[in-house]
Amino acid sequence: MNVLAPRRLGLFLLLAPAVLWLALLILLPHVEVGLLSLRERVGPGEFATSFKQYLTFFDEPLYWHTFVRTALMSVIVTVLALLLAFPVAWSIAKVARGRVRAMLMAGILLPFWASELVRMLGWLILLRGSGVIPQLLFWLGFTAEPVELLYHDATILVGLVYSSLLFMLVPLINALETLDDSLIEAAYDLGGNRLDILRRIVVPHAAPGIAAGCIMVFMLTLGNYLTPVILGGKNSMWFTEQIYTQFITRFNWEQGSAFAFLLLGLSSLLVWLGLKLTGQRFADSMRRT
Amino acid sequence: MPPVMQHDAIDLSVRGVSKHYTAFTAVDRLSLDVAKGSFFSILGPSGCGKTTLLRMIAGFIAPDEGDIVIGNQSMRGVAPNRRPVNMVFQHLALFPMMSVGDNVGYGLARRGLAKAEIQRRSEAMLERVGLPGTAGKRIDQLSGGQKQRVAIARSLVLEPTLLLLDEPLGALDLKLREHMKLELKQLQHEIGTTFVYITHDQSEALVMSDQVAVMNKGRFEQVGTPQQLYYQPASAFVAGFVGNSNRLEVNLSAAGEGTAASGLPLKLAAQQGDSSGKQVLFIRPETIALSRSEADVAAFDNRLPCQVETLYFDGANSTVQVRDARYGTPLHVALPHTGQHADLQPGETVFLGIRAEHAKAFRE
Amino acid sequence: MFKQASKLSAGVMLVACALNANAADSVLRLLTWADYAPQAVVDQFKKETGITVEVTLSNNEEMISKLRATGGAGFDLANPSQDRITGPAREFGIYRPIDLSKVKTANFIPSMLSATEKVTGLNGKVYGLPLFWGTDGLVVNAAKSKAADYGDLCSAQYAGKTAVRLKRPTLIAQAFAMGKDPFKAYADPKAYEAIMTDAGNKLISCKKNLKYFWESKDQLLNDIRTGEVVAAQMWDAGGWKLNSENPTLKFVAPKSGALGWVDTFAIPAKAKNLDAAYKWINFITRPEIAAQVAKSAGSFTAVKGAENFMDAQMKKQLAESFPPAAMKNIKWYPAIPAGLEEIDGKVLDRVKAAS
């Protein structure tokens, strides 16, 4: 034991909750799932090590179609959420003041006090054939009969954007708040127009926040289960649903584990790609979250 | 206000401009002309409305009434990015996400100049402000003074009719501030662009400006050269705000006579011609003669035997605090730069001499 | 440091376990379907035996998944369907044989008891006791639809107004509607796969016609009430519930046969409170209690004499939906051999993916 030992011990104790959290709740389950994904059932209760689960994924078009579809939709949701959240974040961070601002923030957070399930059922009530919006459209004469607005891909997008908007808003508001107003004025003063200021000043400043928001939304959307299942129609396919199905209704934990690992790999890859393309660093973004 | 010269020699003309807010009036029917190529300062305490005025000139705030004319063109309805005016912000507002060169080139790029031309002009301007070869640096690699110069270069490269400066030296430390004052004046002199500079620091205004407007509560108290403000203040506010003064409450008994609140009788110069009433009296410390012998001050209108209380040694700015032996009136007196009287001791008796024209009385 | 910490946590866990064990004596952890343990019955059981029933609601797949995750621990009694017992019991070892000496077998209708004993028998031991039975058939809005068989759900005249679940009973039903017998093919995976693939293709071509694959019973019932859905494959209890509200909504036994299921009592392999489990079995199978639960679940019991306590309305509905020929035509699920569900799964995936 050296002189530094007591300090090391202190450091260890301080970090212990985080380390234990990572080890017990993140690392251990992943190792377990990883091992499971490398097994193959050869008989009742008998297993052998193999890559069959991963091969099945590539052999069966359904699985990787779902996989690609999920990734694409998640990217679309992320982009939509960014486009929608940006003006809102701007008005909260830069336009609203005092009480109005506090109320806007509360207004955004309020729906999230209800569970995701309740919020999705809310959409169900609004959009179903006999629901509020189709009836309204019918009554106003826009449609010849009440149209079913549920069970389309667009519906899933709406639901996903809605449920992930908050996670885009918060980092964006944080990022925009730290933007000194005088920078915008200066750019304006030097001859910049709105679009130009947005592109050259605001977006570069908010970039770490944008990246943080996009990572959060992308991850949450990719891993969302409830929304696609509830709002998605008979053609809706979501990769988490596949994982759930494999685990719960097929009792095929090995296949489910392989899918889970593929999803993990996909999300990591896409996040890495996104950061690379926009020249952001992961650490900067995480600091903004 | 200086007489309006030829019309085309005026770069900025503010005509009866007001700005009202719910609780108060920030700018109250102000008019102002700034001659081409001059260094014009607006001096006033914080909250006097000078920033509002500047932001109206820049176009960030629209006046409630009146008009602002820049280079013979009314600026009514002209957005800030279309005005021939550029501004150096209080905290400089350099773009941290861009290099020094891109900061300077930002405005040029907005005008759609070719890349090579932008680079050439930016680098020339950086050289002009004494920062050659810094175009590739990041903003956070610069010192405070260098940032200052980049901010000015960023505006000047656009060759504006008018450069507005919003207390840009405020954030610098004292030594650098003193240095930048001279440098800024020099730069303005070389480039010849009209500068409108706002500050609450009278020393900045006096050192750099051709003309200074002293502003208080939304109005100008006096507009003039630094010398005029210093030697011929037009109001109690200007006399008190510009330079240091002994400030005494007096009661006028005749046009040239009065009595301080302490009972001290004084010969003075009532600036507004009054012969009675309560007024405030300003005497600058350096206009007071001080001697150990009464005979030396015999020629002065006011002769005061005093007791030395405290000596404040500050090199060329050394002063002494004395108290009138008969009435107990405290006075601040500057010590001669020659070093004479540097040996004064507390308790010693000295004689002060004050000319009546240096004791300026104003209505409050 | 670590050693001490682990000792400490081990200690805490021991104490926790001990407390748990004490509490377990008076608790029955029941894994069952909605409506199979109505509060009144749970209260009465508590009054008579002092045992508290902790109910966890589930379905066939989840029951297996939950028990598989713990190797058969965490629950003292479950109510899986009889065809879902031997497969998982063999594959995952999640159930234990039932000790018939502790069960009042006289409470059961003998023919049903013996049938279930046969279906749930494994290595000469019995793993399940019958509790309720019911059928899967069609719920039809008689005013707007004349659907009489599973195949009619795909008829263009009901386009966008029919619904099925994306689950194996739907495939089985379509197979029967196509004149095949998937149950006979249980023993021959190749033949079974062929039948299921055909049924899947049928469902794929039918997909455009469906409003959705329903997931939640309440959602489907609501849409039938509002007329958004005019015919759907569903189980009888739901259909009769609607029928009680509105006589034009009927439960119809399809021409090719309703699918019959029996829900059972099965005991998880690592059940702790066996005594309470048997007590609950013997309690529920009293005719008057069975009738009460049957009413709550809308199903029929395998309990002898329960029909004497049964609702007249339900008897009437049963008679209307099942004329004697239809009753005879019910296709009862045999036990599913392990591995078949994987075939179903792939077919269902393909249906889902097709557009």
Side-chain angles (χ1 to χ4, degrees), chain A residues 192-254:
Chain A
N193 56 31
R194 278 160 204 277
L195 189 70
D196 205 89
I197 293 171
L198 185 72
R199 202 168 57 86
R200 299 289 309 266
I201 311 292
V202 180
V203 169
H205 175 87
I210 293 173
C214 286
I215 292 175
M216 295 271 281
V217 169
F218 181 74
M219 294 289 210
L220 283 172
T221 306
L222 207 60
N224 197 321
Y225 172 73
L226 210 53
T227 309
V229 168
I230 291 186
L231 298 181
K234 50 198 177 189
N235 297 321
S236 106
M237 290 184 299
W238 210 254
F239 203 64
T240 45
E241 203 184 336
Q242 286 289 353
I243 298 176
Y244 177 89
T245 308
Q246 292 299 341
F247 269 97
I248 303 298
T249 57
R250 304 278 164 73
F251 323 121
N252 195 343
W253 290 10
E254 292 73 26

Side-chain angles (χ1 to χ4, degrees), chain B residues 343-355:
Chain B
D343 56 348
L344 284 177
Q345 293 299 322
E348 214 176 321
T349 301
V350 291
F351 297 92
L352 304 188
I354 305 168
R355 292 188 201 286

Side-chain angles (χ1 to χ4, degrees), chain B residues 95-259:
Chain B
F95 307 134
M97 61 291 277
M98 298 179 200
S99 69
V100 170
D102 286 344
N103 261 277
V104 177
Y106 180 84
L108 295 173
R110 303 287 77 73
R111 289 184 181 175
L113 265 64
K115 263 208 173 112
E117 179 66 10
I118 293 173
Q119 198 185 347
R120 192 187 64 73
R121 286 208 210 172
S122 306
E123 274 166 12
M125 183 47 77
L126 279 171
E127 203 166 327
R128 189 127 188 213
V129 297
L131 292 172
T134 52
K137 285 196 177 178
R138 289 199 317 271
I139 294 298
D140 56 19
Q141 287 174 309
L142 301 182
S143 71
Q146 288 173 322
K147 284 183 191 166
Q148 193 82 50
R149 280 181 261 180
V150 172
I152 292 166
R154 184 174 73 172
S155 292
L156 286 181
V157 77
L158 297 173
E159 296 167 354
T161 310
L162 208 60
L163 184 69
L164 307 176
L165 300 102
D166 182 7
E167 304 204 36
L169 303 187
L172 302 182
D173 62 63
L174 183 70
K175 199 116 190 173
L176 190 56
R177 193 154 67 213
E178 292 298 318
H179 176 72
M180 285 306 293
K181 270 197 263 190
L182 305 178
E183 209 173 278
L184 213 53
K185 171 81 180 159
Q186 182 69 25
L187 190 71
Q188 193 268 336
H189 190 72
E190 284 169 16
I191 292 172
T193 305
T194 309
F195 277 33
V196 174
Y197 187 99
I198 70 169
T199 180
H200 66 272
D201 183 323
Q202 43 128 343
S203 145
E204 284 176 23
L206 296 183
V207 169
M208 294 189 280
S209 315
D210 299 316
Q211 289 269 314
V212 180
V214 180
M215 194 169 175
N216 186 31
K217 292 180 183 159
R219 310 212 53 153
F220 287 159
E221 293 273 342
Q222 185 176 4
V223 183
T225 63
Q227 291 82 350
Q228 282 170 332
L229 296 181
Y230 195 83
Y231 293 117
Q232 296 139 36
S235 69
F237 179 82
V238 177
F241 194 74
V242 179
N244 296 320
S245 281
N246 290 289
R247 185 182 193 277
L248 298 174
E249 312 264 326
V250 292
N251 230 330
L252 295 195
S253 49
E257 281 175 38
T259 316

Side-chain angles (χ1 to χ4, degrees), chain B residues 288-300:
Chain B
I288 303 175
L290 179 144
S291 174
R292 284 188 164 116
S293 101
E294 193 166 9
D296 284 349
V297 297
F300 286 83

Side-chain angles (χ1 to χ4, degrees), chain C:
Chain C
M1 252 256 344
F2 243 108
K3 248 188 187 164
Q4 274 178 9
S6 60
K7 267 186 198 162
L8 187 68
S9 63
V12 169
M13 276 164 75
L14 275 175
V15 172
C17 287
L19 284 174
N20 228 352
N22 276 337
D25 291 341
S26 55
V27 172
L28 172 69
R29 294 163 304 164
L30 182 63
L31 185 60
T32 188
W33 303 77
D35 306 324
Y36 274 30
Q39 193 56 44
V41 172
V42 167
D43 290 345
Q44 194 184 336
F45 184 65
K46 164 95 179 168
K47 221 165 90 190
E48 285 185 18
T49 62
I51 296 169
T52 311
V53 183
E54 280 174 8
V55 178
T56 303
L57 300 183
S58 191
N59 60 40
N60 267 329
E61 287 89 8
E62 269 183 29
M63 279 181 207
I64 297 170
S65 296
K66 280 203 164 90
L67 291 172
R68 183 191 170 183
T70 58
F75 297 93
D76 301 312
L77 188 60
N79 290 123
S81 295
Q82 67 176 5
D83 57 320
R84 299 293 193 110
I85 295 179
T86 49
R90 190 188 295 130
E91 181 80 17
F92 310 128
I94 57 176
Y95 293 119
R96 62 161 69 206
I98 288 183
D99 181 353
L100 289 170
S101 68
K102 291 188 178 165
V103 178
K104 291 184 189 154
T105 46
N107 283 350
F108 295 89
I109 297 170
S111 61
M112 291 203 67
L113 183 63
S114 66
T116 300
E117 279 176 356
K118 224 164 79 194
V119 173
T120 65
L122 184 65
N123 303 330
K125 286 178 182 138
V126 173
Y127 282 77
L129 297 169
L131 171 59
F132 291 124
W133 63 272
T135 61
D136 231 359
L138 297 174
V139 178
V140 175
N141 184 335
K144 297 181 175 171
S145 166
K146 304 240 170 315
D149 202 357
Y150 302 111
D152 294 342
L153 296 175
C154 304
S155 154
Q157 65 187 115
Y158 311 126
K161 298 191 168 184
T162 60
V164 298
R165 284 191 299 166
L166 192 58
K167 290 247 164 106
R168 66 185 307 268
T170 306
L171 291 177
I172 302 275
Q174 292 298 334
F176 276 115
M178 294 163 77
K180 307 204 167 128
D181 189 344
F183 292 163
K184 275 212 182 105
Y186 265 20
D188 178 0
K190 281 253 160 61
Y192 180 78
E193 188 167 2
I195 293 177
M196 282 318 209
T197 306
D198 285 352
N201 290 340
K202 165 83 178 160
L203 209 51
I204 287 170
S205 65
C206 178
K207 206 174 162 186
K208 279 194 302 294
N209 223 51
L210 301 172
K211 182 181 176 73
Y212 49 57
F213 292 120
W214 64 272
E215 298 266 350
S216 127
K217 172 190 83 179
D218 295 318
Q219 179 197 12
L220 178 71
L221 293 186
N222 258 328
D223 288 346
I224 295 174
R225 281 189 193 107
T226 61
E228 282 178 54
V229 170
V230 299
Q233 184 180 343
M234 209 215 173
W235 52 81
D236 47 21
W240 289 328
K241 188 176 176 193
L242 290 173
N243 184 255
S244 307
E245 296 167 14
N246 176 358
T248 55
L249 306 177
K250 292 183 193 301
F251 179 76
V252 175
K255 267 198 210 111
S256 45
L259 302 174
W261 44 260
V262 178
D263 283 346
T264 65
F265 292 112
I267 301 180
K270 292 182 187 160
K272 277 210 203 91
N273 202 345
L274 285 173
D275 185 45
Y278 285 113
K279 272 188 182 145
W280 176 260
I281 294 172
N282 291 331
F283 173 76
I284 292 290
T285 51
R286 279 192 226 153
E288 75 280 7
I289 305 286
Q292 199 179 338
V293 181
K295 189 167 185 220
S296 137
S299 305
F300 300 95
T301 75
V303 173
K304 200 159 47 171
E307 67 270 16
N308 299 331
F309 298 88
M310 243 176 60
D311 205 53
Q313 167 92 350
M314 266 179 83
K315 281 187 192 163
K316 204 183 114 229
Q317 285 170 329
L318 176 66
E320 191 190 352
S321 299
F322 288 98
M327 188 64 105
K328 255 173 99 181
N329 195 27
I330 293 176
K331 315 286 188 206
W332 296 95
Y333 283 104
I336 311 174
L340 284 196
E341 273 153 324
E342 209 177 318
I343 298 172
D344 302 335
K346 286 204 169 137
V347 173
L348 291 171
D349 278 345
R350 241 168 267 141
V351 173
K352 175 116 194 176
S355 52

